[in-house]
């Protein structure tokens, strides 16, 4: 399914200067969702893009808004060169962004706005940029120890699961929606 979506997006992007051999395309960034996700205008269609190889703090996490603002300052409203790497499980294109001969993904790492996403990293030289930012206490590293976004998401996911209330139920009940407290209860009835 992901391959089909990826190939469909490649065909969509190939309508002008996009070449399926180099996976590059000029697009305009119309919205910044957070520090590693943007919306780009591709022809008439808005397309959600996930910046490759990096992971920004979530909006509710320390430095999350700073990372979003940094990305907005760099690319919002600008035409950037998109280097498509993959399609993720949320059907977003995963890409590197280049603007005025600058690698935006790398800049975000060097300026201490994001982590290198080791799980999906292809360019190991990004680790050096992150190490330098950490040593020099740049950006989010100035505050000392930080929780990586993937760990923060996992922790919050576990809290949500543990905080759901269980409802005592019997098979002969036919509750109203307002009586159901969890998805498990809804599936039961």
């Amino acid at each position: 399914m992901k391959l089909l979506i990826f190939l469909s997006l490649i065909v969509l992007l190939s309508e002008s200067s996009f070449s399926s051999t180099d996976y590059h395309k000029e697009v305009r960034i119309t919205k910044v969702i957070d520090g590693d996700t943007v919306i780009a205008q591709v022809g008439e269609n808005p397309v959600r893009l996930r910046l490759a190889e990096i992971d920004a703090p979530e909006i509710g996490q320390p430095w999350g808004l700073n990372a979003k603002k940094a990305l907005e300052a760099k690319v919002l409203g600008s035409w950037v060169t998109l280097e498509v790497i993959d399609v993720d499980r949320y059907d977003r294109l995963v890409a590197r962004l280049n603007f005025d001969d600058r690698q935006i993904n790398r800049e975000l790492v060097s300026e201490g706005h994001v982590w290198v996403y080791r799980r999906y990293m292809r360019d190991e030289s990004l680790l050096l940029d992150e190490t330098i930012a950490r040593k020099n206490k740049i950006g989010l590293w100035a505050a000392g120890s930080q929780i990586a976004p993937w760990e923060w998401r996992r922790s919050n996911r576990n809290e949500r699961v543990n905080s759901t209330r269980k409802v005592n139920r019997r098979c002969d009940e036919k509750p109203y929606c307002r009586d159901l407290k969890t998805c498990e209860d809804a599936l039961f009835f």
Side-chain angles (χ1 to χ4, degrees), residues 1-25:
M1 181 66 179
K2 283 184 182 181
L3 179 60
L4 180 61
I5 292 168
F6 181 68
L7 293 174
S8 298
L9 288 168
I10 298 300
V11 170
L12 171 70
L13 294 172
S14 68
E15 292 176 352
S16 60
S17 64
F18 186 81
S19 165
S20 61
T21 58
D22 64 7
Y23 301 99
H24 289 75
K25 172 75 176 162

Side-chain angles (χ1 to χ4, degrees), residues 21-137:
T21 58
D22 64 7
Y23 301 99
H24 289 75
K25 172 75 176 162
E26 289 285 317
V27 299
R28 189 168 72 77
I29 304 300
T30 58
K31 185 174 183 178
V32 174
I33 304 298
D34 57 26
D36 57 26
T37 307
V38 299
I39 304 290
Q41 195 67 31
V42 180
E44 299 294 318
N45 303 313
V47 175
R48 187 175 286 253
L49 305 172
R50 172 73 163 81
L51 276 64
E53 303 176 294
I54 65 172
D55 199 6
E58 299 296 327
I59 296 297
Q61 188 177 359
W63 205 263
L65 284 174
N66 297 48
K68 177 182 177 181
K69 288 177 183 177
L71 184 54
E72 283 176 339
K74 292 176 181 301
V75 300
L76 186 60
S78 300
W79 286 88
V80 300
T81 303
L82 178 68
E83 182 185 348
V84 178
I85 306 297
D86 200 359
V87 176
D88 71 8
R89 64 183 177 172
Y90 302 108
D91 297 328
R92 298 176 296 193
L93 287 180
V94 178
R96 294 184 185 116
L97 301 182
N98 296 297
F99 177 65
D100 287 342
D101 297 322
R102 296 172 19 224
Q103 296 177 357
I104 301 303
N105 304 36
R106 182 177 300 279
E107 279 185 12
L108 291 168
V109 172
S110 298
E111 294 170 3
H113 296 297
V114 300
W115 274 257
V116 174
Y117 207 167
R118 287 149 179 81
R119 182 174 176 183
Y120 300 106
M121 175 186 65
R122 293 183 181 192
D123 179 359
E124 291 186 12
S125 70
L126 289 168
L127 292 172
L128 178 60
D129 295 321
E130 182 181 287
T131 300
I132 292 169
R134 281 180 191 246
K135 278 186 180 177
N136 294 322
K137 298 188 183 319

